[in-house]
Amino acid sequence: MVALVIIPFTWALFEAVFFFIVPDVWLTWLVISKRNWKQISAAILCATCGAILGGMIVYYLGENLPRLVIVNWLDQIPGISQSLIENISGEVDRDGVFSYLKGMWGGNPYKVYSAFWGERNGDLGLWVLISVVARASRFILTILSAVLINNFGERLINSWEQRKRIIFLIFWFCFYVFYFYHFTNIENL
C-alpha cells in the first residue's frame, strides 16, 4: 500500500513543489519489481494527484508572492537556472497554458510553469486540466517504456533478474547527468 499510494503521491507532490528527482524513478522501479497493472495504475493515479496538488500549491505561490521571491526560490532548486526560469517565463507569455505541453517533453520543470501561470492569474481550472493530461500521459509513457525494456531484457539478456536493478540505477544516473549538464548553468555549479 505504501509503495503504491503514499510514495508516488508524496514524491510527485514534492517534485512539483521543490524536489528535483521525478516520480518516474519510483514508477519505473515498480515495473521492474514485477508489480501488476492494477497496482501500477494505482501508483500512476496517485502520482498524478500528487503532482496536480503540488502544481496548484505553486500556482497559488506564483499568484500571491512577488516575482523576485518566486524566481529566487526556483533558482535554489537543483537543475533550475536563471536562464531556464526566464525562458519558461517567456514561453508562458507567448503560448499561455499550452506552453507546458511543449515544455514537458523538453524536460522543463512543471513547477516553473505552475509558478508563472499563477503569476499571470491564468485560469486554474484550465491549468489543472492541462496538468492532468500532461502529467498522466508522461507517467504512462514512462511506464510503457519501462515495461518494453523489461520485456526485452527478460528475452535477450541472460540473468536479467540479477542485472535489471543495476541497469535501472545506471539509466537514471545517466539521465540525471544529462539533465544537469543540459539544464544547469555549469558555471554556477
Side-chain angles (χ1 to χ4, degrees):
M1 172 88 156
V2 170
L4 302 174
V5 175
I6 296 170
I7 292 173
F9 178 87
T10 305
W11 194 324
L13 171 67
F14 288 178
E15 189 265 334
V17 178
F18 63 85
F19 197 46
F20 57 93
I21 297 178
V22 294
D24 307 58
V25 174
W26 183 253
L27 296 174
T28 55
W29 179 258
L30 294 175
V31 170
I32 69 166
S33 298
K34 297 267 189 203
R35 301 295 181 153
N36 66 44
W37 279 109
K38 186 176 180 180
Q39 294 170 324
I40 291 170
S41 297
I44 290 170
L45 178 63
C46 291
T48 302
C49 290
I52 301 314
L53 178 59
M56 291 170 65
I57 291 167
V58 174
Y59 171 96
Y60 177 79
L61 294 173
E63 184 178 45
N64 292 289
L65 295 175
R67 180 183 179 87
L68 184 60
V69 171
I70 294 298
V71 168
N72 286 338
W73 160 65
L74 290 169
D75 191 39
Q76 298 304 307
I77 298 170
I80 300 178
S81 65
Q82 282 286 333
S83 61
L84 181 64
I85 293 167
E86 292 310 316
N87 287 343
I88 292 174
S89 178
E91 288 177 17
V92 173
D93 282 339
R94 270 189 323 278
D95 304 324
V97 71
F98 299 103
S99 61
Y100 178 60
L101 291 176
K102 180 179 74 172
M104 70 176 236
W105 298 110
N108 292 337
Y110 174 61
K111 62 186 76 55
V112 182
Y113 290 96
S114 297
F116 288 125
W117 188 244
E119 179 189 51
R120 286 151 181 83
N121 295 309
D123 184 318
L124 180 59
L126 181 59
W127 180 247
V128 169
L129 178 65
I130 294 294
S131 297
V132 167
V133 170
R135 299 298 279 196
S137 66
R138 195 192 79 207
F139 294 152
I140 291 167
L141 183 62
T142 300
I143 290 296
L144 292 175
S145 299
V147 167
L148 185 66
I149 291 167
N150 195 48
N151 287 345
F152 277 120
E154 287 174 346
R155 288 184 178 93
L156 301 175
I157 299 175
N158 290 336
S159 53
W160 173 251
E161 284 301 311
Q162 291 79 24
R163 297 177 184 186
K164 69 181 177 182
R165 287 170 182 77
I166 302 282
I167 293 169
F168 168 86
L169 293 171
I170 291 169
F171 169 80
W172 283 110
F173 175 79
C174 292
F175 175 88
Y176 276 102
V177 166
F178 172 78
Y179 178 84
F180 283 111
Y181 177 78
H182 187 263
F183 286 106
T184 305
N185 186 350
I186 301 300
E187 298 86 43
N188 292 336
L189 288 179

